[in-house]
Amino acid sequence: MIYLDYNATTPIEPRVKEEMIRILDEFGNPSSAHKFGRKARQLVEESRYKVAKLLGAQPQEIVFTSGGTESNNLAIFGRALCFERGHIITSCIEHPATLNPCRQLQRMGYDVTYLPVNSQGVLDPDDLRRAIRKDTILVSIMHSNNETGVLQPIKEIGEILREREIPFHTDCAQSIGKIPVSVSELNVTMVSLAGHKFYAPKGIGALYVKEGFIIKPIMFGGGHERGFRPGTENVPYIAAFAKACEIINCEFDEIEKHLRAITDIIWERLSRIERVKLNGQGTPRLPNTLNISISDIKAEQFVKRLDGRIAISAGSACHSGVEKPSHVLVAMGLTEKEALSSIRISTGKFNTVEEIKEASEIIEEEIKNSF
Ligand SMILES: *Cc1c(COP(=O)(O)O)cnc(C)c1O
């Protein structure tokens, strides 16, 4: 079975797994003053250094969390809770891990503006400019979209917000290992990372918090992670996460080139089919993601028919068993029917050219057999 759903999650890289297992036996509590504790502390701090290095950040700017969802919650609530009320700007196409914290803040009395995107899935910085108010306390816009791979003009947004001294959070869960992310270039205040999107285990992530920027913790306990995130550190997972960052840092060019090449092979083949349309075409996208609408197919059924041979996702987020059109595709102006006929193919570094060729053939055939 060929795995083409890397945007959902990735397998663990063997070197990451090895590191994790090695460190499982380093059981010391990083907060302990004795030798066991000091060893664990050292591992955590070395890991922090590696993560920071990947982002062009300083080690003290990295806060370890349980993943992308927690990082987004910490960034959004952590900022909002510094005030009793206030205005937050985000976009219509964010991951639920951003949209739902924002909705919760609305219930608590905060105002939220959800910016639209154009037909390519890109936000207009002028819309952002117009949405800014005197009481805007935070802007949260994702770096790259998990469904379409479409990139947002983060640098430009960062410049607008820096001038106005408004904190800027960006969800980079999908970007790490696929496109460069450098906090010094982006003018951002906070950045979310999720380990399992780049070959580390699930349940580990980080939030970059710019030096000097203060957020409130959303959990209360000991003073771990500069007081931003209490709880005894998960040392083996932190080390695994850092190892994954280190590998990407060292091998980025190679990985990116491979992703681009294999994803192009698939698109080369599918683009020849008349009923196929690429969502987000003509605008910068992640090198590994293809979100395509296939007119008159039902994506859920299509994905099921491929199961056993190829693992891909329907473009619609089917949670409670009810098929709902993707909020991202609908925001791009697709009809409900078009959104429900969309699939997401997302490649990763373990895909070989051979299996990609085979998968392209199978998908092409399945499309042709669908009519
Ligand atoms: C996967 C993902 C998340 C959530 O990360 P978890 O570690 O699964 O909680 C958040 N944002 C985006 C864009 C993602 O792709």
Side-chain angles (χ1 to χ4, degrees):
M1 181 147 175
I2 303 167
Y3 187 73
L4 298 177
D5 203 12
Y6 279 79
N7 284 13
T9 195
T10 61
I12 300 180
E13 144 86 42
R15 287 169 286 174
V16 169
K17 185 174 166 186
E18 208 175 285
E19 177 79 347
M20 193 170 86
I21 291 169
R22 188 174 69 85
I23 289 169
L24 269 175
D25 286 329
E26 298 289 349
F27 70 95
N29 185 326
S31 298
S32 300
H34 47 64
K35 199 170 175 189
F36 293 97
R38 285 200 311 274
K39 180 75 218 279
R41 170 58 55 204
Q42 190 193 343
L43 288 165
V44 170
E45 298 315 320
E46 280 170 11
S47 299
R48 205 185 300 285
Y49 174 86
K50 289 177 191 168
V51 178
K53 192 166 174 205
L54 175 67
L55 299 178
Q58 297 173 278
Q60 67 273 22
E61 296 175 312
I62 304 301
V63 178
F64 290 113
T65 68
S66 67
T69 301
E70 188 189 327
S71 294
N72 286 357
N73 274 269
L74 180 56
I76 295 167
F77 280 98
R79 171 63 178 170
L81 296 179
C82 293
F83 305 86
E84 273 173 22
R85 291 280 179 277
H87 176 235
I88 293 158
I89 302 173
T90 185
S91 81
C92 288
I93 58 156
E94 299 296 313
H95 190 276
T98 295
L99 290 175
N100 286 327
C102 287
R103 287 180 190 131
Q104 180 59 23
L105 283 170
Q106 283 179 290
R107 283 177 219 120
M108 292 163 64
Y110 294 79
D111 283 342
V112 180
T113 300
Y114 299 89
L115 295 175
V117 292
N118 67 14
S119 61
Q120 290 178 312
V122 185
L123 187 151
D124 181 350
D126 284 330
D127 284 340
L128 172 73
R129 271 195 196 90
R130 280 188 288 269
I132 294 171
R133 310 194 321 206
K134 272 210 184 80
D135 64 341
T136 303
I137 53 174
L138 177 69
V139 174
S140 178
I141 305 289
M142 72 199 319
H143 194 257
S144 56
N145 186 270
N146 46 303
E147 293 187 26
T148 60
V150 170
L151 308 187
Q152 297 303 325
I154 295 300
K155 198 171 172 195
E156 196 179 340
I157 294 169
E159 272 158 25
I160 295 169
L161 296 173
R162 189 188 45 183
E163 269 171 35
R164 290 165 178 77
E165 293 180 16
I166 298 169
F168 181 25
H169 165 247
T170 187
D171 179 351
C172 283
Q174 290 293 344
S175 303
I176 304 299
K178 299 171 190 161
I179 48 167
V181 175
S182 158
V183 294
S184 53
E185 273 172 35
L186 288 179
N187 288 315
V188 288
T189 325
M190 294 183 282
V191 175
S192 295
L193 311 187
H196 74 101
K197 304 292 171 65
F198 59 92
Y199 314 98
K202 293 149 190 68
I204 183 73
L207 182 67
Y208 158 85
V209 183
K210 195 185 173 88
E211 172 98 87
F213 189 70
I214 299 293
I215 52 174
K216 294 263 196 220
I218 57 175
M219 293 194 295
F220 299 88
H224 312 81
E225 299 295 296
R226 284 200 287 147
F228 292 164
R229 206 278 189 172
T232 303
E233 297 87 344
N234 186 346
V235 182
Y237 270 47
I238 286 172
F241 181 80
K243 184 72 186 175
C245 288
E246 188 181 49
I247 291 170
I248 281 164
N249 207 15
C250 295
E251 300 171 9
F252 179 82
D253 292 345
E254 229 173 283
I255 299 168
E256 191 212 32
K257 208 172 126 210
H258 179 65
L259 293 179
R260 222 171 265 290
I262 58 178
T263 310
D264 281 353
I265 291 174
I266 304 174
W267 179 235
E268 165 91 19
R269 186 140 194 158
L270 300 187
S271 62
R272 288 191 241 131
I273 308 170
E274 218 177 280
R275 293 167 182 270
V276 167
K277 187 186 124 233
L278 180 63
N279 294 312
Q281 188 161 30
T283 195
R285 285 181 302 113
L286 294 174
N288 79 318
T289 309
L290 294 171
N291 188 303
I292 61 171
S293 296
I294 310 162
S295 56
D296 298 324
I297 68 141
K298 290 204 169 66
E300 286 293 335
Q301 290 171 15
F302 186 81
V303 167
K304 272 189 202 136
R305 283 203 299 278
L306 286 175
D307 194 15
R309 291 175 287 164
I310 295 173
I312 57 167
S313 265
S316 64
C318 176
H319 292 301
S320 56
V322 194
E323 263 180 61
K324 265 179 76 183
S326 142
H327 68 286
V328 176
L329 297 178
V330 169
M332 289 165 71
L334 271 72
T335 62
E336 273 200 19
K337 188 166 175 259
E338 284 170 327
L340 289 170
S341 71
S342 306
I343 59 168
R344 179 187 69 189
I345 301 168
S346 49
T347 61
K349 69 173 185 175
F350 296 130
N351 289 131
T352 63
V353 170
E354 221 156 75
E355 67 178 1
I356 286 293
K357 284 183 177 161
E358 189 189 336
S360 311
E361 219 168 282
I362 295 170
I363 296 169
E364 181 183 12
E365 213 166 280
E366 195 58 52
I367 294 173
K368 290 185 171 158
N369 288 341
S370 296
F371 305 104

